Amino acid sequence: MQNIYKTILLLAVSCMVALTTQAQTTAPTQAEAVLLDSLRQAERMKQAAADSIRLMQPEQDTLKLADSVVVPKKVKVPRDWSTWRPDPKKALWLAMVIPGGGQIYNRKFWKLPIFYGGFVGCIYALRWNGQMYKDYSQAYLDIMDDNPQTESYNQFLHLGTKINASNMERYKQIFKSRKDKYRRWRDLSFFCLLGVYAVSIIDAYVDAEMSNFDISRDLSMKVRPTVMSTPTSSNPLVSSSVGVQCSLQF
């Protein structure tokens, strides 16, 4: 039995030594295989990177070419004002919204001093007549009451002139008539202002409308004989008459 045990032990030891030797001989082979696989994978990645670089090269060249190309700037062509024609509706609305705007749009700048002078004159007359109406109204109220503290009417009197019982009624009529006069002038100034405004609107519209009117020098009058027909008879010889035709061409 002891011999059998020794034999089995020797066989086991021999097997262990053989396995150890085989492991030592195969381990370097597997490591080399892994290393070779890594090198092949790195080579493939390097090749893929080179291919992608070659593919991106035309795009970079195109971008460089696009950056190097100079885009010419658009040249603004000046408007030929000799062929420009204003729009009547636009001129009408501009004149209604902005006083004198229609004349500016129609490029009739020489009319602006006329209309703006009319506006300024009417506004000045409106304010001045309104102030005079206010002063004379207060003076008339003061002279009509019995309060001696209210004597604003004295500022309208000449130096040394005083109002007493003998001339009270006359001055009452004077202040009343002047109050009414300046009120009428104030109202008239307002209507004149509206009139200048209306004339500026009409002028802007008519001026824009007449911009397309033919004002060339081809104006002529032609006088020639003609045959005129009248529906008095079915006979053309009876219903026709000879006359003179005058035509104007413009």
Side-chain angles (χ1 to χ4, degrees), residues 65-83:
L65 181 61
D67 294 337
S68 61
V69 173
V70 179
V71 179
K73 295 182 179 179
K74 293 183 179 180
V75 180
K76 186 177 181 181
V77 180
R79 175 180 287 180
D80 187 6
W81 292 106
S82 61
T83 60

Side-chain angles (χ1 to χ4, degrees), residues 17-159:
V17 171
L19 291 173
T20 305
T21 305
Q22 187 179 1
Q24 289 178 357
T25 56
T26 57
T29 305
Q30 293 178 355
E32 290 176 0
V34 171
L35 180 59
L36 288 175
D37 292 338
S38 301
L39 290 175
R40 292 192 188 94
Q41 188 175 3
E43 186 67 26
R44 288 195 297 269
M45 293 177 65
K46 182 178 179 180
Q47 187 66 28
D51 294 339
S52 63
I53 290 173
R54 282 196 301 272
L55 291 174
M56 292 176 63
Q57 189 67 29
E59 296 181 0
Q60 293 179 357
D61 296 340
T62 304
L63 291 175
K64 291 180 180 179
L65 181 61
D67 294 337
S68 61
V69 173
V70 179
V71 179
K73 295 182 179 179
K74 293 183 179 180
V75 180
K76 186 177 181 181
V77 180
R79 175 180 287 180
D80 187 6
W81 292 106
S82 61
T83 60
W84 178 77
R85 295 294 180 268
D87 185 9
K89 292 183 179 180
K90 192 172 183 179
L92 176 66
W93 284 108
L94 285 174
M96 292 176 63
V97 175
I98 304 173
Q103 284 72 29
I104 297 175
Y105 173 72
N106 294 337
R107 299 184 63 81
K108 297 300 177 63
F109 302 107
W110 62 272
K111 296 181 180 180
L112 293 178
I114 299 175
F115 289 108
Y116 282 145
F119 286 130
V120 172
C122 291
I123 292 174
Y124 176 78
L126 180 63
R127 293 189 60 183
W128 189 79
N129 289 316
Q131 185 63 39
M132 294 300 293
Y133 167 70
K134 182 179 178 181
D135 294 340
Y136 274 104
S137 295
Q138 187 63 42
Y140 179 71
L141 292 175
D142 292 344
I143 201 174
M144 290 297 293
D145 60 18
D146 298 331
N147 188 1
Q149 302 296 328
T150 56
E151 295 180 353
S152 62
Y153 49 84
N154 288 328
Q155 62 181 335
F156 298 104
L157 301 177
H158 297 287
L159 294 177

